[in-house]
């Protein structure tokens, strides 16, 4: 019994000594505001466009400034784009086919303004139909949907036949509509599938129609979206050929992201 008590006492003394010898480390420094502040790199300075003159931001690529279509070419001939330029705008020529930008792009911010004429006629898809194709593959629908119903995933602002816009933000025929489009280009796996799919955000007249929507593939008129590997691509404007009056465009610029 004495041996057991002696052993217990010895163990207690050893534990106590070990506790006394435990190393003390400095306590974490109290957080200060400056610890979570970064001063570099500073964002580059971009001068906004003048809202009074509809000028583009200082770092934008101007695709149409009201003077000519030198930034565009004809899809049909590969030569100069020959839609009609007049009074600071250009109008679809339904005898000439689509036009595309001469330059190709990856991810971007695109600003484009469009107007259907006041005397527009037709219904559903046959009423001021056009489209802006991102990287020449993914169509953002352009259509006069002011008091004009159509299939919901083919309405203005939709990724054509893939998604219903969050709102109908159309202005009356004869008034200008504004699209601001933020597009993130896809990244592909070696087998041609999406590693990172393309996404798009669309605002019409300051109203969000699509919020970071994941594009499923090409926008087909017949059939389902297809995933086809590609690199940078141009912006395409569509000559739809519906019997209603042709639409016009102005003030188009793009910022690479």
């Amino acid at each position: 019994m004495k041996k057991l008590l002696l052993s217990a006492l010895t163990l207690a003394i050893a534990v106590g000594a070990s506790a006394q010898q435990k190393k003390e480390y400095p306590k974490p420094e109290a957080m200060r505001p400056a610890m979570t502040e970064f001063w570099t790199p500073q964002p580059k300075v971009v001068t906004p466009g003048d809202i009074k003159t509809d000028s583009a931001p200082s770092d934008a690529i101007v695709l149409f400034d009201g003077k000519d279509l030198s930034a565009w070419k004809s899809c049909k001939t590969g030569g100069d784009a020959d839609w009609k330029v007049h009074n600071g705008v250009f109008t679809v020529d339904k005898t000439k086919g689509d036009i595309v930008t001469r330059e190709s792009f990856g991810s971007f911010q695109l600003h484009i303004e469009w107007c259907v004429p006041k005397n527009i006629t037709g219904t559903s898809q046959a009423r001021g139909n056009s489209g802006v194709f991102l990287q020449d593959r993914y169509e953002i629908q352009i259509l006069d949907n002011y008091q004009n119903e159509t299939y919901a995933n083919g309405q203005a602002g939709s990724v054509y036949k893939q998604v219903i816009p969050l709102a109908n933000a159309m202005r009356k025929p004869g008034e200008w509509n504004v699209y601001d489009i933020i597009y993130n280009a896809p990244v592909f796996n070696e087998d041609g599938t999406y590693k990172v799919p393309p996404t798009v955000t669309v605002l019409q007249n300051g109203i969000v129609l699509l919020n970071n929507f994941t594009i499923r593939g090409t926008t087909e008129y017949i059939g389902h979206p297809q995933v086809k590997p590609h690199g940078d691509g141009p912006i395409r404007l569509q000559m739809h050929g519906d019997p209603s009056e042709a639409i016009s465009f102005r003030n188009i610029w793009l910022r690479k992201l």
Side-chain angles (χ1 to χ4, degrees), residues 125-136:
Q125 294 286 303
R127 186 180 171 91
N129 194 322
S130 183
V132 52
F133 286 75
L134 317 177
Q135 294 193 309
D136 205 18

Side-chain angles (χ1 to χ4, degrees), residues 38-236:
F38 297 92
W39 284 78
T40 58
Q42 287 284 309
K44 69 175 182 178
V45 176
V46 176
T47 303
D50 187 340
I51 195 170
K52 295 179 181 179
T53 61
D54 290 327
S55 61
S58 59
D59 65 343
I61 297 170
V62 176
L63 298 175
F64 181 68
D65 62 359
K67 298 177 182 178
D68 58 54
L69 288 171
S70 58
W72 302 79
K73 64 181 180 179
S74 167
C75 290
K76 183 181 290 188
T77 68
D80 293 341
D82 45 9
W83 288 4
K84 302 169 185 176
V85 178
H86 55 99
N87 301 321
V89 308
F90 67 92
T91 301
V92 176
D93 186 330
K94 297 189 178 184
T95 68
K96 304 296 186 181
D98 297 355
I99 63 174
V100 293
T101 56
R102 295 183 182 276
E103 187 174 350
S104 292
F105 306 100
S107 300
F108 54 77
Q109 172 190 352
L110 175 66
H111 177 95
I112 183 168
E113 301 177 15
W114 53 277
C115 179
V116 297
K118 193 172 183 179
N119 61 341
I120 193 74
T121 58
T123 59
S124 188
Q125 294 286 303
R127 186 180 171 91
N129 194 322
S130 183
V132 52
F133 286 75
L134 317 177
Q135 294 193 309
D136 205 18
R137 289 166 176 83
Y138 313 115
E139 180 186 6
I140 304 300
Q141 175 75 308
I142 291 176
L143 188 71
D144 177 26
N145 284 124
Y146 183 81
Q147 298 180 353
N148 173 45
E149 290 188 343
T150 189
Y151 46 90
N153 61 349
Q155 184 170 301
S158 64
V159 175
Y160 185 66
K161 286 195 173 180
Q162 292 192 26
V163 62
I164 300 171
L166 298 173
N168 179 342
M170 285 295 304
R171 292 191 170 123
K172 295 179 180 180
E175 298 181 9
W176 285 90
N177 290 276
V178 178
Y179 273 176
D180 286 294
I181 299 170
I182 297 94
Y183 170 73
N184 293 296
V187 178
F188 291 90
N189 294 306
E190 291 184 4
D191 63 359
T193 58
Y194 286 137
K195 182 176 183 179
V196 179
T199 60
V200 66
T201 295
V202 178
L203 288 83
Q204 181 181 7
N205 303 324
I207 296 170
V208 175
L209 303 189
L210 301 179
N211 184 14
N212 198 35
F213 174 74
T214 299
I215 299 172
R216 302 201 305 269
T218 56
T219 45
E220 305 290 333
Y221 177 52
I222 299 175
H224 298 289
Q226 300 180 39
V227 177
K228 299 178 179 179
H230 62 85
D232 290 354
I235 307 297
R236 176 191 290 254

Side-chain angles (χ1 to χ4, degrees), residues 4-56:
L4 290 174
L5 290 172
L6 182 60
S7 297
L9 180 59
T10 302
L11 179 60
I13 293 172
V15 170
S18 175
Q20 290 177 357
Q21 294 172 2
K22 186 177 180 180
K23 188 173 181 179
E24 293 290 334
Y25 290 96
K27 294 182 179 179
E29 187 176 345
M31 287 296 294
R32 293 177 285 107
M35 290 181 174
T36 52
E37 297 169 356
F38 297 92
W39 284 78
T40 58
Q42 287 284 309
K44 69 175 182 178
V45 176
V46 176
T47 303
D50 187 340
I51 195 170
K52 295 179 181 179
T53 61
D54 290 327
S55 61

